[in-house]
Amino acid sequence: MKRLTLALALLAALAVPAFAKVQVVSTLQDFASIADSVGGDRVETFALARGYQDPHFVDAKPSFILKLTRADVLIVAGLELEIGYLPPLLDQSRNDKIRPGGPGYLDASAGCEILGRPTQQVTRAMGDVHPYGNPHYWTDPNNGRIIARAIAAKLSQIDPSGASAYQKNLAAFEAKLTEKEKEWDGKMAPYAGTKIVTFHDSWPNFAKHFKLEIVGHVEPKPGIPPTPSHTLEIINLMTAQKVPAVLVEPYFDLKTPNYIASKTGAAVLVFYPSVGGIPAIKTYFDLFDHDIDAFVNAMKGKK
Ligand SMILES: [Zn+2]
């Protein structure tokens, strides 16, 4: 009897109280949106980076430390995307649960298709290359599916009494994603094989999924601003290969892309890599709805 009481007391201490929501902090709004879908009303989410900010360089606000101190789960993109700002915040939060290796830590890249893993040793001369592969992988909806499953598993581990709810929510998310993927694939199918240039190397997973061919970047190297000589190379390449569009993440200056467009006739398209890029992009589904419609409309204008 005594042992049972003790066991129950221990369980009660370990479990999240019924009235407290699981506190989920993510670095990206994309993960927060997926966590909202999978967690439903059992979770409260907060994203550190806004979708209109460069996810490599986030201004660390003091309020982030409090959020991290109280977090039960931390979802990161990993692959060193957050290396510039997250480690000191984690140190200051003093929350061992959400540190790498802790029970509440979730690296969303695990299990996802990761492209652009360097085949040679990474040096500074190569620019801001990520040694573990391209960290912008959530722009492939199939990776979104893998992330959702990982979030459901993590939440079930942290909050076991919600496991069946998380499974049910996950099933609904996956069903909607499968349906939306058919719609998105259908809209993009006429443009299979279209060549594009992108400002930063943010789109390899999107391009692979939707069968676009990325032939160059406005940045001469990842994280390095445009240079006149590289811009000239891109103009020549786009003219020779008849590239119809330059995709620009919302946090880059449009001056060089507009100049390239004026010389090549290509369309400049502000392309949102994350939820929250504009207020209308509220969910992971909105993200693809918005970008795909923008791309299709721009391509129609080119025909
Ligand atoms: Zn990057």
Side-chain angles (χ1 to χ4, degrees), residues 7 38 46 60 120 134 148 165 263 293:
V38 173
F46 178 80
Q120 58 187 115
N134 191 294
K263 298 291 176 190
D293 284 350

Side-chain angles (χ1 to χ4, degrees), residues 54-56 81 128 130 134-136 200-202 219 222-223 251:
D54 186 335
H56 297 270
L81 181 70
D128 197 8
H130 299 281
N134 191 294
H136 305 274
H200 179 72
D201 189 13
S202 309
E219 288 181 335
Y251 34 82

Side-chain angles (χ1 to χ4, degrees), residues 4-87:
L4 183 65
T5 317
L6 185 67
L8 282 175
L10 257 174
L11 262 179
L14 285 170
V16 176
F19 52 84
K21 295 193 179 202
V22 179
Q23 298 298 309
V24 178
V25 174
S26 65
T27 54
L28 302 170
Q29 285 186 259
D30 310 84
F31 302 152
S33 166
I34 297 173
D36 279 331
S37 297
V38 173
D41 56 10
R42 299 185 71 91
V43 306
E44 208 164 81
T45 61
F46 178 80
L48 302 179
R50 301 288 96 198
Y52 49 80
Q53 291 175 319
D54 186 335
H56 297 270
F57 308 103
V58 175
D59 276 332
K61 293 185 195 153
S63 61
F64 291 175
I65 296 164
L66 192 62
K67 289 283 183 189
L68 289 167
T69 302
R70 292 177 177 166
D72 301 302
V73 175
L74 172 65
I75 310 169
V76 303
L79 307 177
E80 297 198 343
L81 181 70
E82 297 99 348
I83 199 164
Y85 71 97
L86 191 61

Side-chain angles (χ1 to χ4, degrees), residues 3-242:
R3 274 176 71 177
L4 183 65
T5 317
L6 185 67
L8 282 175
L10 257 174
L11 262 179
L14 285 170
V16 176
F19 52 84
K21 295 193 179 202
V22 179
Q23 298 298 309
V24 178
V25 174
S26 65
T27 54
L28 302 170
Q29 285 186 259
D30 310 84
F31 302 152
S33 166
I34 297 173
D36 279 331
S37 297
V38 173
D41 56 10
R42 299 185 71 91
V43 306
E44 208 164 81
T45 61
F46 178 80
L48 302 179
R50 301 288 96 198
Y52 49 80
Q53 291 175 319
D54 186 335
H56 297 270
F57 308 103
V58 175
D59 276 332
K61 293 185 195 153
S63 61
F64 291 175
I65 296 164
L66 192 62
K67 289 283 183 189
L68 289 167
T69 302
R70 292 177 177 166
D72 301 302
V73 175
L74 172 65
I75 310 169
V76 303
L79 307 177
E80 297 198 343
L81 181 70
E82 297 99 348
I83 199 164
Y85 71 97
L86 191 61
L89 287 175
L90 274 178
D91 283 345
Q92 291 171 75
S93 77
R94 296 170 190 270
N95 183 351
D96 285 340
K97 277 191 300 189
I98 57 161
R99 284 187 161 278
Y105 180 80
L106 177 60
D107 180 338
S109 71
C112 285
E113 182 180 30
I114 304 303
L115 302 173
R117 293 192 199 267
T119 49
Q120 58 187 115
Q121 184 152 16
V122 174
T123 66
R124 284 194 76 109
M126 294 161 74
D128 197 8
V129 169
H130 299 281
Y132 303 108
N134 191 294
H136 305 274
Y137 55 86
W138 63 90
T139 58
D140 176 345
N142 193 49
N143 278 343
R145 179 178 286 109
I146 293 164
I147 295 164
R149 288 174 188 167
I151 292 174
K154 179 58 75 182
L155 289 174
S156 302
Q157 198 185 313
I158 295 291
D159 173 26
S161 55
S164 62
Y166 299 135
Q167 278 312 312
K168 197 170 147 245
N169 294 343
L170 173 66
F173 177 87
E174 288 199 42
K176 182 168 179 187
L177 189 62
T178 301
E179 198 178 298
K180 291 297 285 185
E181 260 182 305
K182 277 184 206 146
E183 179 192 325
W184 297 330
D185 291 349
K187 283 183 176 176
M188 291 298 284
Y191 308 101
T194 299
K195 291 177 177 176
I196 54 169
V197 162
T198 73
F199 198 106
H200 179 72
D201 189 13
S202 309
W203 303 101
N205 295 85
F206 183 91
K208 187 178 179 199
H209 185 101
F210 294 108
K211 302 182 171 62
L212 303 177
E213 190 188 338
I214 298 170
V215 297
H217 304 291
V218 178
E219 288 181 335
K221 287 169 185 171
I224 308 294
T227 59
S229 62
H230 180 71
T231 299
L232 187 62
E233 279 172 33
I234 288 292
I235 288 168
N236 291 338
L237 179 144
M238 288 180 67
T239 306
Q241 302 201 24
K242 299 185 173 60

